[in-house]
Amino acid sequence: MPSRTGILTAVHLANIAKTLSATRPYALSTLYLQFHPQVAANVSCPRALGRFVASVYQSSVTWLGSEVDLRIVTGSLRPNGGSFESFANRARPTTADYLFYDYALSSSGTGGERCLAERYPGVKVVELDTLPVDRVSLPPELDKQLQTYRNVVLGGTFDRIHAGHKVLLTQAVLLATERVVVGVTDGGMIKSKKLHELILPAAHRIEHVKEFLEDVDPFLRYEVVPILDPFGPTATDPDMDLIVVSTETARGGAKVNELRAQNGLNQLEVHTIELLDDESTVEDKEDKISSSNQRMDLLGTRLRPRRPAPAHIPPKPYIIGMIGGIAAGKSKMLERFRELGAGVVDCDKIGHQLYEPGEECYEQVVATFGREILAPDGKIDRRALGAIVFADRAKLDRLNEIMWKAIAKRANEEIRTLHEQHGKQVVVMEAAVMLQAGWHKNCHEVWSCIVPREEAIRRLMERNQFEEREAVRRVDAQPSSNEEMVQHSDIVFCTLWSYEYSQQQAERAWSILQQEMKLKL
């Protein structure tokens, strides 16, 4: 679907729910909501509409749908921004498909709306209501606290900007008269976040924040910087007056002032924003609007567009490489895809088979690691072998060298059998060492299954009866980190939550694949 941008000029703010809902049939990607010059003339300062802005962002998904990026242009409330000429001179948006008005254009005596039509040649003009423009309809309650500050600072992760971020950033904009400084967390600051492996790189998040701020109010100066500790520029910048925090990070404001006192800097006023409730929340998710919920929504979906098939791989069967850490739930995920219709090749099971007496790897492994790895029945004791190789990286590498070539050969044989004899059009090949062995280069795409390190350790202790020290050693000896696996993945799953939520992820991914390939499986 093509990207469509709309600009809504609103004067009847009390009817905003009806007005925004009326734009839904136009299938917009982005909607800019700007205030008619008469609104600016009837409020004492931009901050008066702070509560209104927050309420609109909170309900925007209900009124517009989750696919529309709403941006409320509070800069249109400033003296130098409250005219149609100023609207037309803004750098963004560069293009617009629709100009919406919540009033009858025939009632506008100034004709200033023509500036916008001329700014966007070919744009479609839509009157969403027939009310006259001169009956300004303000929200029932305007903010009574109208104090503003020259320099305002705030911080956050700002991963994939959502309504909660928009409220936080816009409140900072409404409180500022000259400069807004935004610290965007990076490095160790994001490691405690749920599904932190899916957080966008800091450079991308910084660019998204800058773009949003310049969209909603181009009349302030913005400094958006990465921070590696909770304080960022607040620890040293003497030209700061107010810090904006959420109810979740309110203690951080007090900590900032403690540090500033130690550094001989002025104390900052602290402005606290209430977190927005997520009106569409479901079981397993947080009740607030959060980036964590958004990252959970990415599970089982494409993180990047489907790539062309590598030239050296036949188009059929379609091979998916499944990777994942120890105790991440890969085996159960494989069962799900088998039930959905995929052929499944389990390279770990192939590895177990190749340890059996008479198999090509048996004698070589015993000769390399000694007969003490054998059980009384002559079979290789994998626990004894594991104790040796997981304690010595060089020995683990030697074992891999022996096993990987044989496993790849047997896996290819199984893939061919599943396709030619069982008619499987899609084969999921699971291997913990997929990336290290280079087998992902022989797959059409890669899917991964992850859980946090602490959860993997807990599962090993519970499932395998390992002591904590042994569980930690096994987890830390894994060939790939969650971050590395996600970087190579087209689709990611996480089995941290309920069985049902993991099942939904699998079904979502399978549905996407079916639709793309148009296969009857």
Side-chain angles (χ1 to χ4, degrees), residues 271-286:
H271 183 80
T272 304
I273 303 293
E274 294 287 335
L275 293 171
L276 298 188
D277 292 332
D278 189 344
E279 298 178 354
S280 61
T281 191
V282 296
E283 187 179 358
D284 293 317
K285 289 187 176 181
E286 298 174 346

Side-chain angles (χ1 to χ4, degrees), residues 22-318:
T23 67
R24 290 193 77 154
Y26 298 90
L28 300 173
S29 303
T30 307
L31 176 61
Y32 291 84
L33 167 58
Q34 61 191 19
F35 300 100
H36 189 280
Q38 289 204 38
V39 174
N42 280 270
V43 297
S44 54
C45 77
R47 189 180 171 187
L49 289 179
R51 190 178 307 175
F52 169 79
V53 169
S55 67
V56 172
Y57 275 133
Q58 175 157 18
S59 299
S60 61
V61 171
T62 302
W63 299 336
L64 292 170
S66 60
E67 66 282 356
V68 180
D69 179 7
L70 175 66
R71 303 197 166 197
I72 302 176
V73 186
T74 56
S76 59
L77 295 169
R78 296 191 185 275
N80 51 348
S83 69
F84 280 102
E85 290 79 7
S86 176
F87 298 169
N89 289 330
R90 285 200 307 262
R92 294 174 51 85
T94 56
T95 61
D97 300 283
Y98 297 96
L99 294 178
F100 298 105
Y101 300 91
D102 69 346
Y103 56 90
L105 289 174
S106 60
S107 68
S108 176
T110 65
E113 292 86 354
R114 283 195 301 271
C115 296
L116 279 180
E118 292 169 0
R119 167 75 166 81
Y120 302 106
V123 71
K124 296 174 183 173
V125 177
V126 181
E127 295 180 12
L128 299 174
D129 211 320
T130 57
L131 292 170
V133 71
D134 57 354
R135 294 182 184 174
V136 179
S137 175
L138 296 178
E141 290 188 23
L142 298 178
D143 287 22
K144 296 180 175 60
Q145 294 292 330
L146 302 179
Q147 183 178 355
T148 54
Y149 303 82
R150 289 179 56 236
N151 301 287
V152 175
V153 63
L154 70 158
T157 305
F158 299 107
D159 181 38
R160 299 175 175 87
I161 290 178
H162 55 64
H165 295 144
K166 292 175 181 180
V167 169
L168 195 65
L169 291 166
T170 304
Q171 294 300 323
V173 165
L174 290 171
L175 286 159
T177 59
E178 293 185 17
R179 180 177 69 135
V180 174
V181 179
V182 185
V184 177
T185 56
D186 196 17
M189 290 281 288
I190 66 173
K191 294 299 184 182
S192 62
K193 299 288 184 180
K194 187 186 299 181
L195 293 172
H196 67 86
E197 301 89 350
L198 298 180
I199 292 176
L200 292 172
H204 293 190
R205 290 180 280 127
I206 287 171
E207 185 59 33
H208 295 165
V209 170
K210 283 182 179 177
E211 184 181 275
F212 176 80
L213 291 170
E214 290 167 358
D215 270 358
V216 300
D217 191 339
F219 303 107
L220 297 175
R221 181 159 54 93
Y222 300 112
E223 297 173 15
V224 187
V225 298
I227 58 174
L228 301 176
D229 60 60
F231 305 103
T234 63
T236 56
D237 191 334
D239 296 321
M240 289 184 173
D241 306 300
L242 174 92
I243 184 169
V244 177
V245 298
S246 70
T247 49
E248 196 175 60
T249 61
R251 286 187 69 252
K255 292 291 185 183
V256 163
N257 274 330
E258 288 178 15
L259 182 60
R260 287 181 69 86
Q262 294 172 16
N263 293 343
L265 300 173
N266 63 298
Q267 295 290 280
L268 304 182
E269 294 289 332
V270 180
H271 183 80
T272 304
I273 303 293
E274 294 287 335
L275 293 171
L276 298 188
D277 292 332
D278 189 344
E279 298 178 354
S280 61
T281 191
V282 296
E283 187 179 358
D284 293 317
K285 289 187 176 181
E286 298 174 346
D287 293 331
K288 64 177 182 176
I289 294 176
S290 70
S291 295
S292 296
N293 283 354
Q294 287 193 323
R295 290 192 292 275
M296 288 179 69
D297 289 338
L298 293 175
L299 298 171
T301 70
R302 285 212 174 279
L303 299 182
R304 54 182 63 87
R306 186 179 169 201
R307 296 167 293 182
H312 67 283
I313 308 176
K316 293 183 180 180
Y318 194 81

Side-chain angles (χ1 to χ4, degrees), residues 351-379:
H352 295 175
Q353 295 165 4
L354 292 172
Y355 283 131
E356 292 294 313
E359 291 283 358
E360 56 185 290
C361 296
Y362 177 85
E363 293 297 340
Q364 194 173 358
V365 170
V366 173
T368 301
F369 296 100
R371 301 193 66 80
E372 60 265 28
I373 65 171
L374 296 178
D377 60 2
K379 293 184 177 181

